[in-house]
Amino acid sequence: MTKHNDRAASTQGSCQLSSNANLGFRGRSLRMFPLFAVISLVGCAGPVDSVDEDMDEDVGTAADAVTGNACTTPSANDTAALNKINQIRTSLGNGMGAVNCDNKIRTAAQKHGLYQGTNNIMTHTEDPTKPNYYATNFWERMTKAGYTGSAKSEVISSYGNPTSAINQWMDSALHRAPFMDYTVGTFGFGFGTVSGTAKFGTLDFGGGGVVPSQGSYAIWPVNNATGIRRGFDCNTETPKPCSSSTAGYPIMFSTSDALVVTHHTLKVNATGAVVGHLFLKKETDSSKPGYYLGKNQVVMIPNSTLAANTKYRVELGGTLAPDYVFLHTYYFTTGSSI
């Protein structure tokens, strides 16, 4: 992954993520609906017996590119969102399928963008007493628009531009979850306008994702990525995934199989120095930030800003149901930007 100018500025915006009872997110300066528990750990837990090391095969290439179907009469924003999401999913590789723009989901997102712009408020829930009310919750808006599939989640940004908004979500700890969810296969984008300025970029996600072979997994940053941002301000995401304004760049692991992680370490590759981190996994307690993750996703958040221009080594081990034991090692290198 290379640095992006929009991404460098993304912490100046804000966003929200929401989901239904099965998978949720909500956020303001990156706000989410939680899905799992939070524990602070340095180092790892438990050995594993058999290994599948080094993840050189993890990163998708141009030959593996996934391309989704466009909505009817796509706008420039529709096309930008479609291309950006599938660019990310191509880079993730490992059976991560394309997402398609869905006309009905797009209608739901557009209606909610209109509501937010009219009322100049970033929110997942609509008030029926306010102008341009469509439906209260995102899954109800999707149903009203005629979508009959599984309503997965919604993310909202203060940015109206989909590329800037998606860069912001991918640089967060929790909001990137739907982009890395194997079960997601459809989406729709909308936005609002305030005094002539596009705001409140809204992405609604639906089901229909392609189920990959057992043992498939995705990691962000992708293996051997370079120019990775060094830091993350936990105050920009709600619920806050951590308490520090000077945490390191979050690392996410996602799979389609039932996931149990027993080993997780982050080290400076050159010296082997262990980097302390917060480990988040799926939770059923809605007061926990992990509640907002997918059921087969985990996040590692370094306790402090990472060093500049430094190569890091990540080790993750555990089991994928029903009987796949893994220990994966992969690398990324920071740039100079925080």
Side-chain angles (χ1 to χ4, degrees):
M1 185 174 67
T2 58
K3 290 184 291 184
H4 191 292
N5 289 337
D6 284 336
R7 180 168 297 167
S10 67
T11 54
Q12 301 304 313
S14 60
C15 66
Q16 295 188 345
L17 172 68
S18 180
S19 83
N20 61 20
N22 294 321
L23 178 65
F25 308 81
R26 170 186 265 220
R28 201 182 44 162
S29 291
L30 279 184
R31 189 193 294 184
M32 284 182 113
F33 226 28
L35 280 178
F36 73 89
V38 181
I39 47 178
S40 182
L41 296 174
V42 176
C44 61
V48 290
D49 300 324
S50 59
V51 301
D52 178 12
E53 293 189 331
D54 290 330
M55 299 170 61
D56 293 337
E57 75 284 7
D58 284 356
V59 182
T61 65
D64 306 314
V66 295
T67 55
N69 298 323
C71 277
T72 303
T73 316
S75 67
N77 280 333
D78 292 334
T79 300
L82 179 71
N83 291 343
K84 183 65 177 179
I85 297 171
N86 284 306
Q87 177 188 26
I88 290 167
R89 289 170 80 95
T90 293
S91 70
L92 291 168
N94 282 308
M96 185 67 71
V99 294
N100 302 309
C101 185
D102 182 277
N103 294 327
K104 295 170 183 176
I105 300 178
R106 178 178 63 174
T107 295
Q110 288 175 337
K111 292 291 188 182
H112 192 50
L114 176 62
Y115 172 88
Q116 293 175 98
T118 300
N119 297 287
N120 196 16
I121 182 173
M122 185 169 65
T123 179
H124 288 294
T125 57
E126 296 185 8
D127 182 343
T129 67
K130 293 185 179 297
N132 284 323
Y133 170 82
Y134 189 64
T136 302
N137 298 298
F138 82 88
W139 57 91
E140 294 168 327
R141 293 188 287 271
M142 289 170 68
T143 298
K144 184 173 180 177
Y147 181 71
T148 58
S150 174
K152 290 292 183 179
S153 58
E154 176 178 85
V155 290
I156 302 171
S157 173
S158 59
Y159 294 116
N161 177 287
T163 301
S164 298
I166 292 171
N167 284 336
Q168 181 191 38
W169 292 320
M170 289 304 296
D171 279 339
S172 72
L174 303 176
H175 284 70
R176 68 170 69 135
F179 297 89
M180 296 180 63
D181 187 341
Y182 280 96
T183 68
V184 166
T186 49
F187 82 95
F189 179 81
F191 67 97
T193 302
V194 178
S195 301
T197 299
K199 295 181 65 175
F200 308 126
T202 300
L203 264 178
D204 288 337
F205 294 93
V210 177
V211 178
S213 59
Q214 184 189 0
S216 297
Y217 50 81
I219 292 184
W220 193 271
V222 298
N223 189 34
N224 292 319
T226 60
I228 299 303
R229 289 178 57 180
R230 299 164 52 205
F232 172 65
D233 183 353
C234 296
N235 295 315
T236 63
E237 193 161 17
T238 306
K240 291 173 62 175
C242 52
S243 58
S244 174
S245 61
T246 55
Y249 191 81
I251 301 156
M252 178 174 281
F253 183 83
S254 180
T255 177
S256 63
D257 301 303
L259 172 67
V260 176
V261 173
T262 57
H263 175 97
H264 48 91
T265 62
L266 176 63
K267 297 178 181 179
V268 177
N269 189 58
T271 65
V274 175
V275 178
H277 62 274
L278 180 71
F279 180 74
L280 305 179
K281 64 178 183 179
K282 169 68 176 173
E283 280 292 345
T284 57
D285 183 347
S286 61
S287 69
K288 307 279 189 176
Y291 175 75
Y292 296 103
L293 291 173
K295 64 181 180 179
N296 299 316
Q297 294 177 327
V298 297
V299 176
M300 298 165 64
I301 306 176
N303 293 339
S304 58
T305 303
L306 299 175
N309 305 310
T310 300
K311 187 173 184 178
Y312 287 88
R313 173 187 174 105
V314 180
E315 294 179 3
L316 282 164
T319 59
L320 300 175
D323 55 5
Y324 183 85
V325 179
F326 71 94
L327 175 58
H328 294 311
T329 301
Y330 89 107
Y331 307 87
F332 68 87
T333 302
T334 57
S336 57
S337 298
I338 294 179

